[in-house]
Amino acid sequence: MTHVMVTQRLPVILPSVTDELLSSWIGRHASFYEVSPLIMLRHCIPEIRSQRGADLHLTNAQEIRLANMFATKPSAIRQMTFTDMAQSSRRLIAVRPTQVCVNCNAGQEPVPVLRSQLQGWRITCPLCGNQFRNFDDHERASPFQQYLDTARLGEKLLDDEAKRGIKTWASPAGIVRLLLMRRIELPFPAEEELWRFRVLGKIIPELDHVLAESCTSFPTPQHPVLPLHLRAVLLAGVAMVHSGGVEMLHMLRRSTLALHRQRFDREAMPFFVRASQMRHSTQMQLI
């Protein structure tokens, strides 16, 4: 079979898996009907341009159309996407799966892709709590095991913001961007080594050595998804800054210079303002 016209409910509908990504579910149907995933998707939603576009955002009308064709509720379709995810967390969604839970993702062919496999702030499976493994099965031990407990606190902060919209004095996803910015290091390193000196290394000095020993590049604030074996250190940094408050942000700011300081100030200013407002509100309550 090379062509499927989807104008009404599909004759055979495969059950979805808990936390499955919409494009994965549609892709499994495409495999069953022997068409490409994009053909299947565009027969359902002709105006859609890509599978990732469907995963990131669907309109209400598109949700209803898919729900009718796949005999489910629009809310169920929406839950398979990242449509409701906080805008600040969008950069932490990987383009393709970066991690896998060997406990939850087994037993089906083709293997479903879960939403959590693209969530670049996670080191543990949200379904069973097990630690993730690399998706490509090339396991690398994390050099930051001592920060694992603190990293789980950072993971929860980022998860609460992304999924539940919980707001505190500083956006955890915004803290990620600050920690991945370049910092100044004295004496000045060689130009080819500048990439490895990040604000995060100011509070976790071991990072500089690890990057020098094992990496040739490092994610940026624009593309902040770290490899799984390095992710714990960033999550721990988020938890430390969030707990340390504006005083720690001021300390980290002093580690930047020139254009990087301007960027830091621009990103951090809402956090300084929010913390000041919260402090003022607390003081007024005590009067």
Side-chain angles (χ1 to χ4, degrees):
M1 186 184 299
T2 58
H3 189 66
V4 173
M5 283 300 295
V6 183
T7 57
Q8 55 187 359
R9 175 177 171 175
L10 294 174
V12 176
I13 297 173
L14 307 177
S16 61
V17 176
T18 302
D19 195 42
E20 185 169 11
L21 192 64
L22 178 62
S23 61
S24 168
W25 194 42
I26 292 176
R28 290 197 292 116
H29 283 87
S31 179
F32 178 84
Y33 286 105
E34 298 181 359
V35 297
S36 77
L38 189 56
I39 286 177
M40 172 65 78
L41 178 61
R42 296 196 71 175
H43 274 301
C44 298
I45 313 174
E47 68 274 17
I48 207 78
R49 293 182 176 273
S50 68
Q51 296 177 73
R52 184 167 174 83
D55 290 333
L56 291 176
H57 179 72
L58 288 178
T59 66
N60 291 336
Q62 291 169 340
E63 291 169 5
I64 293 171
R65 182 176 174 83
L66 284 172
N68 290 336
M69 292 177 177
F70 288 92
T72 188
K73 297 179 180 179
S75 59
I77 295 293
R78 192 177 188 88
Q79 288 172 3
M80 300 175 79
T81 73
F82 296 112
T83 299
D84 290 332
M85 179 167 290
Q87 194 65 36
S88 57
S89 304
R90 292 297 181 98
R91 283 192 176 92
L92 286 162
I93 302 172
V95 174
R96 57 187 61 85
T98 61
Q99 61 252 359
V100 64
C101 175
V102 295
N103 183 51
C104 294
N105 204 14
Q108 283 193 260
E109 290 293 339
V111 178
V113 176
L114 307 186
R115 294 168 72 251
S116 56
Q117 292 179 279
L118 276 70
Q119 293 170 355
W121 65 87
R122 296 209 64 93
I123 54 175
T124 61
C125 174
L127 302 181
C128 70
N130 279 3
Q131 278 194 249
F132 276 130
R133 295 175 63 96
N134 282 322
F135 188 79
D136 61 10
D137 206 30
H138 288 86
E139 198 61 24
R140 296 184 64 180
S142 172
F144 301 105
Q145 288 293 327
Q146 69 272 32
Y147 292 104
L148 197 55
D149 288 342
T150 308
R152 290 195 178 103
L153 297 177
E155 179 186 54
K156 185 178 187 306
L157 286 168
L158 285 156
D159 207 49
D160 284 344
E161 177 182 28
K163 296 181 179 179
R164 289 171 278 280
I166 295 177
K167 297 183 182 298
T168 61
W169 72 273
S171 158
I175 294 175
V176 165
R177 290 173 58 80
L178 295 177
L179 292 177
L180 292 180
M181 290 183 181
R182 297 278 183 90
R183 80 172 199 271
I184 191 67
E185 183 68 13
L186 298 175
F188 286 105
E191 185 174 353
E192 63 270 17
E193 294 183 345
L194 290 173
W195 63 269
R196 66 185 176 92
F197 294 101
R198 304 304 175 98
V199 170
L200 179 59
K202 191 69 177 176
I203 53 177
I204 303 182
E206 304 99 301
L207 179 66
D208 294 347
H209 176 72
V210 169
L211 294 184
E213 290 290 318
S214 61
C215 298
T216 57
S217 64
F218 198 62
T220 65
Q222 291 72 35
H223 304 283
V225 180
L226 267 65
L228 190 59
H229 72 287
L230 298 178
R231 198 171 297 171
V233 71
L234 178 60
L235 299 179
V238 169
M240 291 177 185
V241 172
H242 196 271
S243 175
V246 292
E247 291 78 9
M248 182 171 285
L249 275 189
H250 281 298
M251 181 271 289
L252 295 176
R253 177 184 182 273
R254 290 194 293 270
S255 71
T256 62
L257 192 66
L259 180 61
H260 301 296
R261 177 167 293 187
Q262 293 176 24
R263 290 173 177 167
F264 190 99
D265 288 346
R266 185 169 61 248
E267 295 283 345
M269 184 55 66
F271 308 156
F272 290 131
V273 172
R274 174 67 175 160
S276 176
Q277 291 172 341
M278 292 177 67
R279 184 179 296 123
H280 177 72
S281 176
T282 300
Q283 290 171 345
M284 289 297 292
Q285 291 175 10
L286 294 174
I287 296 176

